[in-house]
Structure formats: C-alpha cells, structure tokens
C-alpha cells in the first residue's frame, strides 16, 4: 500500500545551501541533485566526519518567585554535531522522502498523526506555539484531562541501533534495507567527528 517507486523526486521539496564552515565547500543543490537522488551513488557515498561544538545558553530556573529578575539563571549546554554540505543534502533528501512517502502515511493509518509531531514535515506553517495552543484548546473542551510532560535528555544518543534499523525497515516496508538506506543508517550510527575549534 506504500507509494512507489522508492526514489521519485518531489518538486515541492526545497533545498537551500547553508552558510557554515565544514570540510567541503558550500554548494547549490541543483549541481548535486542527480547525485543525491541516485541510490547507487548514495550506496557508495563516503560521508564526511561531523563537526562538533557545544552551544551554551542561559535559562531561568523554576522557582515560586514571579519576579523574573530575582530568579536564578542556569546555564544549559547542548552538544551539536552537523554534517558537511553535500551530506546535509543527502540526509535532508532521505528524511523528506521517508516522511513524505512512508512515515506520514503510517501515522495517519495508525491514527496518531496529531500525536507525533516532532520532526514531521507535513505540519508546515505551525510552530511549537501553535501546537501548544491546539493542545490547550483541546484540554479546555474536556471535562477531565491527564497531562503527561516528558523531556528526554540525550534522546538521540541513546537510541538502540537495532531497534532503529528494524523500524526503518518497517516504515519502508522492506525485509532488508536497500544498500543506499543501509549506508545512511551506518553513517548516522557509526560516525566520526572533529571539534569545531
């Protein structure tokens, strides 16, 4: 029941070059589109190491005081790793493809399209504020509601790789990952990186 063929270009997908420093040069998508959308090329693609840095930002601690200026500040650090310019296009193309042709269909079929909203590409035009407002509006219309809030620290660093692989196969509806998908799977589970400085 899934759409085919496995690699059909969607003209609605937009890819813009980004202005960041990496081991490769900034490049326009038009010049690498045929490479990025070729399963045989991606099956043999050598991914560059990622670049790593720590992003620090200040966050107010939650206390009873309503005066913002009196609240203590906590410094939060987030580890960021980012891909080279060509690799970024490959990851984006495959992520969009997975969402557009498989994952969005499964979420609708299972009735969880409005439950799972993170990293979805069919929720355009909405920000986290819009999603929060939708939820608050639904809660207001209920007589009772149970609210569960979760924060998953280092979620992506702790994903079980075998479970991830099985779920990619499930979403793609295949018994074995095609070689291009397997190469991408390997690149995101066994990667190298250099510190930005």
């Amino acid at each position: 029941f899934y759409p085919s063929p496995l690699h059909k270009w969607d003209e609605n997908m937009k890819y813009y070059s980004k202005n960041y420093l990496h081991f490769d040069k900034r490049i326009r998508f038009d010049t690498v589109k045929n490479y990025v959308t070729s399963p045989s090329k991606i099956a043999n693609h050598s991914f560059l190491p990622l670049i790593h840095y720590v992003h620090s930002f200040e966050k107010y601690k939650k206390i009873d005081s309503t005066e913002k200026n009196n609240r203590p500040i906590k410094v939060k650090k987030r580890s960021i790793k980012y891909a080279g310019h060509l690799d970024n296009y490959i990851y984006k193309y495959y992520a969009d493809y997975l969402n557009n042709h498989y994952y969005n269909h499964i979420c609708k079929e299972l009735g969880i399209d409005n439950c799972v909203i993170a990293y979805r590409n069919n929720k355009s035009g909405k920000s986290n504020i819009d999603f929060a407002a939708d939820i608050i509006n639904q809660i207001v219309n209920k007589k009772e509601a149970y609210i569960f809030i979760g924060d998953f620290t280092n979620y992506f660093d702790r994903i079980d790789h075998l479970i991830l692989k099985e779920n990619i196969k499930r979403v793609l509806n295949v018994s074995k990952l095609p070689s291009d998908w397997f190469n991408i799977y390997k690149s995101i589970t066994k990667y190298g990186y250099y510190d930005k400085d």
Side-chain angles (χ1 to χ4, degrees), residues 134-147:
D134 289 345
I135 291 167
I136 291 167
N137 290 335
Q138 288 181 32
I139 291 168
V140 168
N141 293 327
K142 307 266 184 208
K143 288 183 181 177
E144 290 184 335
Y146 178 80
I147 301 167

Side-chain angles (χ1 to χ4, degrees), residues 81-100:
K81 295 181 182 85
Y82 61 95
H85 296 280
L86 176 59
D87 295 350
N88 181 55
Y89 285 137
I90 295 168
Y91 290 135
K92 179 165 174 39
Y93 171 73
Y94 275 77
D96 282 344
Y97 196 88
L98 195 67
N99 264 293
N100 290 339

Side-chain angles (χ1 to χ4, degrees), residues 25-113:
K25 292 181 180 178
R26 184 178 178 190
I27 191 166
R28 291 186 48 216
F29 182 72
D30 293 346
T31 61
V32 293
K33 176 181 170 182
N34 290 337
Y35 184 90
V36 170
T37 60
S38 168
S40 62
K41 298 279 188 199
I42 302 310
N44 296 303
H45 179 73
S46 294
F47 288 87
L48 290 172
L50 304 174
I51 290 183
H52 168 260
Y53 70 96
V54 176
H55 174 66
S56 299
F57 56 97
E58 294 178 346
K59 193 174 180 182
Y60 287 105
K61 286 186 178 178
K62 189 174 184 179
I63 59 171
D64 292 337
S65 173
T66 56
E67 294 181 36
K68 188 175 180 181
N69 292 336
N70 292 334
R71 289 163 48 190
I73 294 173
K74 172 180 155 183
V75 175
K76 192 163 183 174
K77 295 183 176 183
R78 181 165 287 148
S79 181
I80 307 289
K81 295 181 182 85
Y82 61 95
H85 296 280
L86 176 59
D87 295 350
N88 181 55
Y89 285 137
I90 295 168
Y91 290 135
K92 179 165 174 39
Y93 171 73
Y94 275 77
D96 282 344
Y97 196 88
L98 195 67
N99 264 293
N100 290 339
H101 296 278
Y102 297 96
Y103 189 60
N104 291 335
H105 294 279
I106 287 176
C107 287
K108 285 177 184 172
E109 184 181 281
L110 296 175
I112 60 171
D113 191 50

